[in-house]
Structure formats: C-alpha cells, structure tokens
Amino acid sequence: MTTTDIVPADLRDLAHREEIRRLVHRVGRCLDDHDFDGLRQLYAEDAVAQTPGGRAEGIDALVTQAQRSHTRTPAVQHLITDVLIELNLDVDRADVTANLLAIFIDDATPPAPVLQLGERYRFSARRGDDGWQLTSVTSKPVWMVDDRPDQAAASRG
C-alpha cells in the first residue's frame, strides 16, 4: 500500500500529481549531480528515451545515454518548469509535459556556460505497487546557444 491509497479521495489526485512532479524534478537533480544510477529509481525497467542524444530502450541504455550526454562538460544545471500532468487513474497512467532549460558549464574560473538548451519535455508514467515510475521521456530542443570552442571552429568551416 502506498501513501496515496490512504488519503481521502478528494486529496488523492493531488497526492498522485505531487509524486509525479517530484519524479520529474528528481530527473534534473540526478543529471545535475551526475547520479546516473539514481535514474534507476525514477524510471521503469522498460523505459524509453528519445532525446538529442539519441534513442534508448530499457533502463540500462537510458542510463548509459544520460551519462554520455551529461559528462561532456564538468557541470550541468537543469531548470524544469511548467510541469503539467494529465492523470488517468482508471489505468494508473499519466502524461506529463514540462519546459527545460539545460545549461552546460565549463571548468574555467569563474565557471561559464558553454551550451544552453531550451527544450520541451514529454514524460509518460505508470503507477505500480511501489508508486509511480517514469516509462518514457522525450526532449525536443526549441532553441540552443552553443559557445563550445570546438563547435565555433566547426561552424567557421
């Protein structure tokens, strides 16, 4: 039994939404902290990711892709906003959208952004015996500022 099973019916919806919202924000924290194994607690074993880093099917591939995409710079910061959750408790599923600002930071003194991305997140989630888990994530870039030296040289030809 989860905590959402013992709350009054009029608060159950809010409890589910908060649990899902926390999952979404914890994704950003795991990526920022380079806690890639922490993603295993958030995503289902059969989770699928479609991001600028490629497509990954299954939790092992998802974690490997996240690690590859988020260790190119020493630090990264994910700012996730406007989390909107569409619940379908009849089938224990949810669809989630959010805005993402991801800032990749170099190791200069002081540290400086070298890549900034504005993206739209789409997640799917399902509820099991142990609570909610994410089953998919799609991130679609909306805009990008790329100040990495190797990218600037490549764009000059």
Side-chain angles (χ1 to χ4, degrees):
M1 180 181 299
T2 65
T3 56
T4 54
D5 293 325
I6 59 174
V7 297
D10 59 338
L11 296 178
R12 196 167 293 147
D13 183 76
L14 290 174
H16 287 296
R17 288 176 189 281
E18 181 57 24
E19 188 175 347
I20 295 165
R21 189 177 336 277
R22 288 179 58 110
L23 285 175
V24 169
H25 287 291
R26 286 178 59 203
V27 167
R29 181 59 55 87
C30 285
L31 295 172
D32 289 351
D33 292 345
H34 291 173
D35 177 15
F36 302 107
D37 282 333
L39 295 172
R40 295 177 186 280
Q41 298 170 7
L42 310 177
Y43 284 95
E45 285 291 323
D46 59 347
V48 175
Q50 181 67 50
T51 71
R55 181 173 174 83
E57 296 185 24
I59 190 65
D60 291 335
L62 186 148
V63 168
T64 298
Q65 178 178 303
Q67 187 169 10
R68 183 180 62 243
S69 297
H70 290 84
T71 56
R72 293 179 183 166
T73 59
V76 64
Q77 184 176 35
H78 289 72
L79 304 170
I80 301 170
T81 66
D82 303 325
V83 178
L84 299 175
I85 301 164
E86 296 295 325
L87 282 176
N88 186 340
L89 294 177
D90 292 336
V91 293
D92 289 327
R93 304 268 191 224
D95 293 313
V96 183
T97 60
N99 287 318
L100 167 66
L101 175 59
I103 305 162
F104 293 80
I105 303 154
D106 67 13
D107 58 357
T109 304
V114 292
L115 175 63
Q116 300 173 65
L117 300 169
E119 296 182 347
R120 292 280 298 164
Y121 263 152
R122 292 194 183 282
F123 295 95
S124 295
R126 72 172 170 245
R127 186 170 75 134
D129 293 339
D130 295 327
W132 288 93
Q133 283 190 305
L134 300 171
T135 57
S136 71
V137 58
T138 301
S139 70
K140 183 177 180 182
V142 176
W143 61 268
M144 176 175 57
V145 175
D146 193 342
D147 292 328
R148 295 175 291 182
D150 59 330
Q151 297 300 314
S155 68
R156 287 192 299 267

